[in-house]
Amino acid sequence: MNWTEVLMLMTVIRLGQPDRRFDHYLLGTSMVWPERYEPRSVIHSRFQMSRGGRVMLSSPRFRPGVPFTLGMFEATAACRTNVEPDVRPFPPQQCAHRTRDTNTDPQPLVNVVDVFLDKHEILWALDVGTINTMTQPERVAPPKIVRVEIDDDVDTYKAYEIDIDAEQEDSDVEMCLQFIVAHQSPKNTFVFITDAGRNSLIMFDMYKEMQSTIVFPEKTAYADRDIMFMTLLHKTMQGTRRPGLYVTYLSGCHMYVVQLDNIDQCSAVVARPVIMDLGRKPYRITVLGSDGGSRMFFRRPAENEIWSWDVNAHFHPSMFELVTKGQDCRAPVQITAGYDHFLFVLKNNFGDYVRNTTGSLGAYTIIQPVSRLPKSRGNSTTTKGTDDNARCDCHG
């Protein structure tokens, strides 16, 4: 039996004892990191996994005491006996993990809230530039996109600053950057970022290093605290795969798709991708991610069951499939395809973290396989759980 087919719980939060400073790469004992390490401030909220088994995790600086905001550990077969691996700073350069921008080149990672690994295994990270967002928010650097070239020897990175004043009509409306996705078109690379505060997507043409904005037709009444989900899926039409960004607000009523099949013909100045309304949602959903193909994963509010929907089917509750039932109090946060053709899920006790009731060791996060993926992700039909015929109730 393959080792990944056995229960694999990888605890990724045990960084050290609660009474000692964090000392990986001298970040806790030198002038590079003057702040103390506080385990209760650390929680891993987003992750990506390379084909070689490297797991990259974001640790947002919600509170003071987070030693670094982007980390990494190995999940290969050689490391299978280590169920509580050490999370190391990623990239490994010390200058990459300062909380203050000291005009270094490249710029340090201040607060990474989301990561995305493209098909060429280049990691794209969204750094919002504001720290202590749950206590006393403080902007210490401009928001930026960070491009990390993953290599076993040297992990090099480059930062692209986001123009916070670009195409802003109302100066009183602030950005609320949440998710990042990179799309490799036949001729170019485009990076998209959700901005719930301004009801839009920020689109970056990475070759021209140009930024533009896609405004959504649906607005939310809770822009300052709503969540604007986004995931990249591929729909099969007439034998061809058509990529699209599937976007919805947590409190919104509709699901949208931004068509990307003709993205190379879009100009950062004039044209914009086409936005289609797929219809009303039967209830609020929390989008968890995709399998790299045509299947979206999500959960319903206050529930831990994982559901899926294939974009080749109608967006309707009768097409939703139960993947797995919730078996503990940890809520699924993100799902992504990873090592050894498995689909992996990250779970944590974020509710306890928000209430500050996690205990002295801090939040508890696990990453575990959900199901086996087909050899070709293009077909993306995941192995379903035991309740194949289960359907969620439709409540209008």
Side-chain angles (χ1 to χ4, degrees):
M1 180 179 294
N2 191 295
W3 71 273
T4 48
E5 294 178 308
V6 184
L7 178 63
M8 183 185 66
L9 298 181
M10 297 179 292
T11 306
V12 295
I13 197 62
R14 304 302 186 220
L15 301 179
Q17 298 301 319
D19 58 348
R20 55 179 281 208
R21 294 166 64 87
F22 191 81
D23 56 7
H24 275 307
Y25 293 83
L26 301 180
L27 286 175
T29 57
S30 70
M31 294 302 294
V32 174
W33 180 256
E35 301 179 38
R36 66 186 178 90
Y37 159 51
E38 174 54 58
R40 295 179 66 176
S41 297
V42 180
I43 188 168
H44 298 294
S45 59
R46 307 291 291 175
F47 83 111
Q48 293 285 275
M49 185 179 294
S50 71
R51 289 186 291 269
R54 302 180 79 185
V55 182
M56 287 69 66
L57 307 115
S58 67
S59 304
R61 285 189 165 114
F62 293 129
R63 299 170 181 153
V66 181
F68 50 84
T69 187
L70 185 62
M72 184 272 294
F73 71 90
E74 300 285 348
T76 59
C79 306
R80 65 183 180 272
T81 58
N82 188 3
V83 296
E84 295 189 359
D86 289 330
V87 180
R88 304 187 300 273
F90 181 80
Q93 299 94 320
Q94 293 183 8
C95 63
H97 300 283
R98 296 187 177 98
T99 54
R100 306 288 172 174
D101 190 343
T102 56
N103 296 321
T104 57
D105 188 21
Q107 301 175 15
L109 279 65
V110 173
N111 188 6
V112 174
V113 298
D114 193 25
V115 289
F116 182 86
L117 191 68
D118 67 23
K119 63 182 181 181
H120 299 302
E121 299 225 306
I122 294 176
L123 186 73
W124 301 88
L126 172 59
D127 187 338
V128 296
T130 302
I131 62 174
N132 305 332
T133 54
M134 283 188 178
T135 54
Q136 295 180 334
E138 179 185 3
R139 182 169 294 282
V140 297
K144 55 183 175 286
I145 297 169
V146 181
R147 179 184 185 273
V148 187
E149 294 189 11
I150 299 176
D151 187 273
D152 290 337
D153 298 321
V154 180
D155 299 301
T156 59
Y157 73 100
K158 181 179 180 180
Y160 303 85
E161 188 173 312
I162 299 173
D163 185 359
I164 61 176
D165 297 320
E167 304 182 42
Q168 183 178 7
E169 297 179 357
D170 188 351
S171 59
D172 295 331
V173 179
E174 295 185 358
M175 281 183 167
C176 183
L177 309 179
Q178 296 172 337
F179 299 100
I180 185 170
V181 164
H183 170 60
Q184 303 285 337
S185 71
K187 298 180 180 179
N188 203 344
T189 299
F190 293 89
V191 174
F192 299 88
I193 298 170
T194 59
D195 182 359
R198 299 184 185 179
N199 186 50
S200 62
L201 290 184
I202 299 174
M203 182 176 72
F204 268 86
D205 183 326
M206 301 310 299
Y207 285 179
K208 298 179 181 178
E209 296 190 16
M210 296 181 65
Q211 172 182 335
S212 60
T213 302
I214 305 172
V215 179
F216 266 72
E218 181 182 23
K219 292 186 178 181
T220 173
Y222 311 98
D224 59 337
R225 58 184 183 275
D226 208 344
I227 303 176
M228 191 176 183
F229 296 109
M230 171 179 60
T231 189
L232 178 64
L233 299 170
H234 296 81
K235 184 175 183 178
T236 302
M237 295 186 65
Q238 298 178 347
T240 61
R241 299 174 74 227
R242 301 184 62 180
L245 292 175
Y246 289 75
V247 182
T248 185
Y249 280 103
L250 176 62
S251 64
C253 299
H254 292 257
M255 176 70 72
Y256 297 93
V257 57
V258 181
Q259 297 180 338
L260 302 180
D261 46 342
N262 295 318
I263 189 68
D264 287 325
Q265 283 70 49
C266 294
S267 167
V269 179
V270 181
R272 296 291 188 274
V274 175
I275 302 176
M276 290 186 59
D277 187 346
L278 296 180
R280 293 182 62 88
K281 298 185 295 186
Y283 35 69
R284 291 185 178 185
I285 64 174
T286 296
V287 179
L288 302 176
S290 76
D291 61 355
S294 64
R295 194 170 290 268
M296 172 193 293
F297 297 90
F298 62 92
R299 63 180 174 87
R300 298 186 289 189
E303 296 183 4
N304 292 346
E305 287 82 5
I306 298 174
W307 296 81
S308 72
W309 167 65
D310 195 307
V311 296
N312 294 304
H314 294 296
F315 184 69
H316 188 272
S318 62
M319 297 291 105
F320 299 166
E321 296 181 341
L322 181 65
V323 177
T324 180
K325 292 185 176 181
Q327 299 178 355
D328 53 41
C329 61
R330 287 178 291 270
V333 176
Q334 186 183 10
I335 287 180
T336 188
Y339 179 68
D340 202 20
H341 299 286
F342 268 81
L343 195 69
F344 288 83
V345 60
L346 181 148
K347 299 180 180 180
N348 62 29
N349 56 337
F350 187 73
D352 295 331
Y353 179 87
V354 172
R355 293 186 294 268
N356 203 19
T357 58
T358 57
S360 61
L361 292 179
Y364 189 86
T365 303
I366 64 173
I367 295 176
Q368 60 187 151
V370 176
S371 60
R372 169 77 74 171
L373 286 168
K375 294 299 181 180
S376 173
R377 288 188 195 173
N379 297 328
S380 76
T381 52
T382 59
T383 303
K384 293 177 286 186
T386 56
D387 296 330
D388 283 355
N389 297 319
R391 294 288 186 269
C392 54
D393 299 329
C394 179
H395 299 293

